[in-house]
Amino acid sequence: MSFHYFKAAGHATVYNKFRPKPPEELVKRIIDFLVEKNVQGFDPSESQITEATRKNKFHNVTYSVGHAEKIDCPDSSVQLITAAQACHWFDLPKFYAEAGRVLVPGGVLALYGYHLPRPRYGSTHEELCSIVEKFYCTTLRNYVLAESKEAYFGNYRSDEFCKIPFVDGPIVRDESVSTKYNATVSDLVGYVSSWSAFQNYQNQEGEEKAADILLRLEQEIMDMIHTAMPPHETHLELEYNYFLLMGRKPLL
């Protein structure tokens, strides 16, 4: 199963450190759909749950190991289900059946993800974006899983994401939200190492080759920036553009 790419404890730490956090504007956009209540988070990876629990700062949020295809909640008991950069890994028919089962009438399903990061260093922007895209689309081309392509390339536009069986009415699509982070070149390379495609490359080709392609990526970025500062002290801006799908279970 594809979730095995995220089970390792080391990967969970890298994922938490370098993956972008959902921006407040995006969270507010979802919460505006209904009043916030107690929150339960699930993930099939125990390592991810351990990391999420360690970083949790909210008294009304708890995490436990679970699967999207078998949600551990009673029928008609949940007001909101969200999946962040994740539903492309699900068995969607089974997930939709479970979501429809546990959502209350009028409950909301919100699915969202984000594009590849868009780095900027001063006026150097498109060139850096091209380096990241080339690394993903060329260097890792043979290691990118089909599920990842649904997020980074398809942006959840195919019918399997846009036609939710229990939703009576159009799916709301919102691409107005983006967020920017101050990061270093080392942070950007760390983010790249959290990609399932990179993890797949590392599993197949070994750690030495994987470390080498990251080093070459880092050097290509530094050569484009033209700075004497080391990568961990070279600050740039990372922009993430989000796409959000929302649907509501009928009241009757």
Side-chain angles (χ1 to χ4, degrees), residues 62-104:
T62 57
Y63 297 97
S64 58
V65 174
H67 295 265
E69 299 82 4
K70 191 174 182 180
I71 301 172
D72 189 17
C73 295
D75 294 359
S76 300
S77 63
V78 177
Q79 292 184 313
L80 170 68
I81 296 175
T82 69
Q85 194 78 350
C87 68
H88 50 284
W89 299 111
F90 299 168
D91 182 326
L92 285 174
K94 291 182 179 180
F95 168 63
Y96 289 149
E98 277 293 87
R101 178 184 67 82
V102 303
L103 281 173
V104 300

Side-chain angles (χ1 to χ4, degrees), residues 9 24 36 75 130 158 169 182 191 196 210 231 247:
E24 292 183 5
E36 184 179 11
D75 294 359
S130 295
S158 61
N182 290 320
Y191 164 80
S196 58

Side-chain angles (χ1 to χ4, degrees), residues 93-144:
K94 291 182 179 180
F95 168 63
Y96 289 149
E98 277 293 87
R101 178 184 67 82
V102 303
L103 281 173
V104 300
V108 172
L109 174 63
L111 310 174
Y112 63 94
Y114 45 83
H115 300 262
L116 295 174
R118 296 183 58 78
R120 178 187 296 275
Y121 182 85
S123 61
T124 307
H125 179 47
E126 294 300 331
E127 300 91 341
L128 292 176
C129 294
S130 295
I131 290 174
V132 173
E133 291 172 3
K134 183 182 70 173
F135 187 82
Y136 189 82
C137 299
T138 302
T139 305
L140 298 178
R141 178 183 59 189
N142 295 330
Y143 305 88
V144 177

